[in-house]
């Protein structure tokens, strides 16, 4: 037991980490305490039974018997349960802290330790236990001690209910004096909150024949205030009257309940928007799905909402404005749905809504449209008037689903389909969406090994001078022959290569192989020395820090004249970082490498940016060539493009030429070069060599 001096108290430290044991042992020893240590829960239990300490510092995360289980076993032993337990934890999870307190721990200390905090908390709880010890030792001073306690000490007969003792602390909880309650014992029950009253009535009318009672309930005092109380009572038999008697302690735990409720709220809600957070939402979704399977309740639906271009607002106006916008969006979403629907923020600018009871898809689409309309209204944040839209994925509840994660996954897939469809819209999940996504994931996985497995090969499409139909070069086209899928179209894997960061490695492979091939052709056909190789680049290539050095390595390794190399870029790739792109293009130009602007006329920059970049060649997109006819707008657009290019001393190549009429129209408009099926399909390296021999 604890003696009057803290410095003689024994503290048991339980931790499986030697460094922690060393640090905290030194801290407490320096503070004058006797210290014992245990490296596991099992050893701690043995040591406590052998020599009970005055207080235990207990780590939560340990192998074998963890901290929570060790605490449970201590509290289950009547001879040991009075020993105060303080948890030591690096866990920041609020629910774990609540669990520790509910198991009977008196406090917790968060790692890394602060020496003053450790000593202060140990001293505080030793003082509390010292108080309990004095109560046990000082039977003759019981009345005075009880009167000074904050806890309510009471005793009553049960048949009939008659209060025989109450200390003065009861007034702080009930708002009634001990004498008021002793004279009218029915008030003891009447002041219990209505929903908790049946529990107390049952306990008083059907008490156990022996043992202890432990309850938590609410009391409504005379001022209308609600107090949470923790009641610990013991049933005893009066030998004289053979009546049941109950002796108990009533503790006001309102502050603790408020803290627990606050911690629980914080564990379940997003700190910024105060919406439900991800973990709470998934828990509710799981409950709803289980109820749907078990009881066949009304169908439910899930909306997955991602704000469009929110990153632009964050980057341009700052995260402070972005956070305020998220708060306003949260309010809009809550206003747009029904009271029984659950709105949550998953993180970032992603929100989810559980529509609790719906009868058909049409009802869900109405709600989705309402959300879109409300979001499109301008939102004022400080001096900024912001407009935001959202892409929404929708999943209808189904017996086919067996986990909340699967529903969330499919809603996410549908949301990305909405983004791909142009944003500011919604998409209802269909199974084929999942299949496409899985196919895309499979391609992504296989793409990482395509180079090593030598599944990539090159084709070469001739580019001709329209005046004499003589070849002036080849466009290098990358193809992927997968061992199982066959020929994978470029539009299926090029974007994947960019997203996964593999594109620069693939481009280097294409460039080296094509340059070596061109050098071989030039060795065999000296007249091919004037031909150019047009190789496509992505914006990621231009932004790669090692790109320029790789260009030099490839030219050196292939012994190819830089003038034979023509690098093609699209307008959109140049505009992703126009200043960096401009700098890169100037460096390439200085090396003698030709530069070509591909798919001209389809990008948002078009004519206004053309004069800024050092371009040699401009390629008119096939979409204009296929519809060109004198008198049509596409014809006049081509005329304008060619006129502008010539004014800037830029050559023009027409892509996708397929008919003799198109060739004649292009000649009439003074277009210098063309490529397309009219002249030649893309050729293998062998076929391209034969083509050179023929021409």
């Amino acid at each position: 037991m604890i003696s009057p001096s803290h410095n003689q108290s024994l503290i048991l430290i339980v931790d499986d980490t030697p460094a922690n044991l060393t640090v905290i042992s030194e801290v407490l020893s320096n503070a004058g305490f006797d210290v014992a240590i245990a490296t596991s829960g099992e050893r701690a239990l043995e040591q406590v039974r052998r020599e009970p300490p005055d207080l235990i510092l207990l780590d939560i995360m340990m192998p074998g018997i963890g901290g929570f289980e060790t605490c449970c076993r201590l509290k289950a032993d009547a001879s040991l349960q009075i020993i105060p337990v303080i948890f030591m934890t690096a866990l920041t999870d609020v629910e774990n802290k609540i669990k520790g307190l509910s198991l009977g721990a008196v406090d917790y200390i968060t790692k890394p330790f602060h020496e003053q905090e450790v000593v202060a908390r140990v001293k505080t709880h030793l003082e509390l236990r010292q108080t309990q010890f004095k109560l046990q030792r000082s039977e003759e001073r019981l009345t005075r001690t009880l009167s000074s306690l904050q806890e309510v000490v009471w005793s009553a007969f049960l048949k009939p209910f008659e209060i025989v003792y109450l200390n003065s602390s009861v007034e702080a909880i009930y708002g009634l004096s001990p004498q008021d309650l002793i004279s009218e014992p029915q008030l003891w029950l009447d002041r219990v909150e209505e929903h908790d009253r049946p529990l107390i009535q049952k306990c008083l009318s059907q008490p156990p024949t022996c043992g202890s009672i432990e309850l938590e309930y609410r009391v409504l005092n005379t001022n209308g205030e609600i107090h949470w109380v923790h009641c610990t009572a013991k049933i005893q038999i009066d030998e004289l009257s053979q009546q049941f008697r109950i002796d108990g302690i009533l503790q006001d735990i309102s502050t603790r309940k408020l803290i627990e409720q606050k911690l629980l709220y914080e564990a379940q809600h997003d700190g910024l928007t105060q919406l439900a957070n991800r973990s709470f939402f998934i828990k509710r979704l799981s409950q709803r799905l289980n109820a749907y399977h078990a009881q066949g309740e009304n169908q439910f639906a899930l909306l997955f909402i991602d704000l469009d271009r929110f990153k632009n607002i964050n980057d341009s106006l700052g995260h402070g404005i972005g956070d305020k916008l998220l708060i306003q969006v949260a309010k809009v979403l809550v206003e747009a749905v029904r009271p029984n629907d659950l709105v949550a923020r998953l993180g970032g600018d992603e929100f989810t809504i559980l529509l609790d009871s719906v009868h058909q898809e049409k009802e869900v689409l109405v709600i989705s449209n309402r959300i879109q309309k409300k979001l499109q209204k301008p939102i004022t944040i400080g001096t900024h008037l912001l407009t935001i839209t959202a892409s929404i994925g929708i999943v209808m509840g189904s017996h086919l689903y067996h986990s909340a994660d699967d529903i969330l996954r499919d809603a996410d897939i549908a949301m990305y389909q909405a983004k791909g469809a142009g944003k500011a819209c919604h998409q209802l999940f269909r199974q084929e969406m999942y299949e496409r996504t899985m196919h895309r994931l499979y391609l992504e996985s296989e793409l990482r090994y395509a180079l090593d497995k030598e599944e990539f090969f090159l084709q070469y499409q001739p580019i001709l001078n329209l005046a004499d139909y003589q070849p002036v070069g080849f466009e290098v086209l990358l193809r992927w022959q997968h061992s199982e899928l066959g020929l994978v179209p470029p539009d299926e894997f090029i974007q994947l290569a960019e997203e996964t960061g593999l594109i620069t490695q693939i481009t280097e492979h294409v460039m080296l192989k094509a340059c070596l091939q061109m050098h071989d052709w030039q060795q065999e056909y000296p007249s091919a020395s004037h031909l150019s190789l047009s190789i496509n680049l992505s914006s990621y290539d231009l932004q790669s820090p090692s790109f320029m050095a790789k260009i030099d390595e490839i030219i050196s390794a292939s012994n190819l004249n830089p003038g034979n190399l023509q690098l093609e870029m699209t307008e959109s790739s140049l505009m992703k970082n126009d200043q960096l792109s401009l700098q890169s293009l100037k460096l390439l130009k200085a090396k003698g490498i030709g530069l070509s602007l591909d798919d001209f006329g389809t990008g948002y920059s078009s004519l206004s940016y053309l004069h800024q970049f050092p371009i040699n060649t401009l390629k008119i997109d096939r979409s204009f060539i296929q519809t060109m006819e004198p008198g049509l707008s596409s014809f006049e657009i081509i005329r304008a493009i060619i006129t502008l290019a010539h004014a800037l001393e830029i050559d023009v190549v027409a892509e996708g030429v397929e008919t003799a009429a198109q060739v004649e129209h292009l000649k009439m408009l003074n277009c210098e070069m063309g490529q397309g099926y009219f002249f030649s399909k893309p050729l293998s390296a062998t076929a391209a060599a034969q083509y050179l021999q023929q021409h």
Side-chain angles (χ1 to χ4, degrees), residues 126-142:
L126 285 174
E127 290 171 358
L128 289 174
R129 191 178 176 205
Q130 187 176 21
T131 299
Q132 295 175 350
F133 176 74
K134 288 180 179 179
L135 287 174
Q136 295 170 10
R137 293 278 308 272
S138 306
E139 192 70 35
E140 68 279 2
R141 294 176 293 173
L142 180 59

Side-chain angles (χ1 to χ4, degrees), residues 72 169 404 512 649:
C72 285
S169 299
L512 177 59
E649 299 182 350

Side-chain angles (χ1 to χ4, degrees), residues 535-538 542 567-571 573-574 585 588 594-599 615:
I535 299 176
N536 291 282
L537 297 183
S538 80
L542 292 175
L567 300 181
E568 293 189 5
M569 297 136 288
T570 63
E571 292 176 90
S573 68
L574 290 178
L585 295 186
L588 292 171
L595 302 172
S596 177
L597 190 60
D598 197 12
D599 298 339
I615 301 299

